[in-house]
Amino acid sequence: MKAVILAGGLGTRISEESHLKPKPMIEVGGMPILWHILKIYSHHGINDFIICLGYKGYVIKEFFANYFLHTSDVTFDLSKNSMEVHEQHAEPWRITLIDTGENTQTGGRLKRVRNYLADDDAFCFTYGDGVSDIDIGKSIEFHRQHGLLATVTAATPPGRFGTLEISGSLVTKFHEKPLGSDGVINAGFFVLSPKVIDLIDNDQSLWEAGPLETLSKQKELAVWQHRGFWQPMDTLRDKTLLEQLWLSGNAPWKKW
């Protein structure tokens, strides 16, 4: 099965770093968050990726063009212009990088890679800026069992602030960053039939607006409930949180 990853947005809410690189290339623990997402899928046996490029897409191309070299032990013989590889530690990934336009919306990007999914009965689809300890294998199994066109992962949003319980002028209890209380949200990590792409009109179509709304009305959208860790990287604060989790040695999404 293939996984399609959106990696072309401007990342305006984390412009402190995205003015230099695409948002999916912002690093957590020394590696782009896009790499972390690929590792999550690879842990569940998915190693064939289609990455939808846009803003500064060449940065992502250059990263993967040099990835094998950067993860290998090599000897360069300059007199022969040759390279001998001793040990290589690159993952068994097949990565297709497609320029889907700098100003294309989320649905339009998916529509642009339709031809690369022609022979698939289902594929995974997610955003290039969020990590989770979701069991992707079980979500795929769930998708195949219900037989509908689409499955969306639902998660409880992380809390933004600690909360206080107050009695008079005293704090009686402090809750550090509780889970959000506004219900579940679209956490990405979709499993889809290629037929859903027929619901996308053009480059300016938002995946989250027309297609998902239509699938819901047609009762073709099932929900996979994820009750574990999920965290997007929308802001510099989010990036700092993910970095702290990684450095602690207990990053919840690191299952590999």
Side-chain angles (χ1 to χ4, degrees):
M1 183 177 281
K2 298 184 182 74
V4 177
I5 302 172
L6 296 177
L10 296 176
T12 54
R13 284 183 288 180
I14 192 169
S15 59
E16 297 92 342
E17 294 202 33
S18 64
H19 72 288
L20 295 172
K21 63 184 73 171
K23 185 179 179 183
M25 293 304 291
I26 295 174
E27 294 182 355
V28 173
M31 296 298 287
I33 193 167
L34 177 61
W35 176 86
H36 291 263
I37 295 169
L38 267 58
K39 292 288 283 188
I40 292 170
Y41 276 107
S42 186
H43 175 70
H44 293 279
I46 296 176
N47 294 298
D48 195 344
F49 302 101
I50 299 169
I51 301 179
C52 302
L53 306 180
Y55 172 69
K56 294 186 182 295
Y58 65 89
V59 177
I60 298 177
K61 288 182 179 179
E62 289 172 356
F63 175 80
F64 286 112
N66 294 312
Y67 189 75
F68 183 85
L69 175 62
H70 291 173
T71 56
S72 301
D73 298 332
V74 298
T75 295
F76 291 103
D77 189 328
L78 301 185
S79 65
K80 297 179 181 179
N81 192 27
S82 65
M83 180 181 76
E84 179 184 357
V85 177
H86 304 292
E87 295 286 342
Q88 67 88 13
H89 310 284
E91 291 82 356
W93 295 342
R94 184 175 187 270
I95 300 172
T96 302
L97 302 168
I98 306 298
D99 182 0
T100 56
E102 187 164 318
N103 298 310
T104 307
Q105 298 292 342
T106 50
R109 294 189 190 283
L110 178 56
K111 188 176 183 69
R112 287 218 189 182
V113 301
R114 177 68 172 87
N115 291 341
Y116 298 90
L117 300 164
D119 299 326
D120 300 75
D121 65 329
F123 66 96
C124 294
F125 177 53
T126 196
Y127 306 104
D129 62 355
V131 290
S132 175
D133 60 357
I134 177 178
D135 190 327
I136 290 172
K138 287 187 177 180
S139 72
I140 294 172
E141 181 181 353
F142 172 76
H143 175 80
R144 296 196 184 283
Q145 287 176 348
H146 65 60
L148 303 182
L149 292 179
T151 299
V152 58
T153 297
T156 303
R160 289 290 182 182
F161 305 99
T163 60
L164 307 177
E165 291 184 18
I166 299 174
S167 176
S169 60
L170 294 176
V171 174
T172 58
K173 188 173 291 186
F174 177 77
H175 302 280
E176 173 63 13
K177 301 181 183 67
L179 290 176
S181 58
D182 296 326
V184 295
I185 61 170
N186 165 22
F189 294 99
F190 299 90
V191 186
L192 305 171
S193 163
K195 294 178 182 178
V196 305
I197 302 177
D198 296 335
L199 301 174
I200 302 171
D201 293 328
N202 52 47
D203 278 0
Q204 296 309 306
S205 297
L206 285 166
W207 167 247
E208 301 79 10
L212 279 187
E213 291 177 355
T214 299
L215 288 166
S216 177
K217 290 176 182 177
Q218 294 177 350
K219 301 188 185 304
E220 287 286 350
L221 180 61
V223 60
W224 169 254
Q225 295 271 4
H226 174 61
R227 305 189 187 281
F229 176 85
W230 173 79
Q231 177 65 50
M233 191 183 65
D234 288 331
T235 66
L236 190 59
R237 180 185 180 279
D238 294 331
K239 192 257 188 189
T240 300
L241 171 62
L242 292 172
E243 186 77 27
Q244 290 172 343
L245 288 171
W246 183 265
L247 294 176
S248 74
N250 295 306
W253 68 93
K254 185 181 183 300
K255 299 298 182 182
W256 58 89

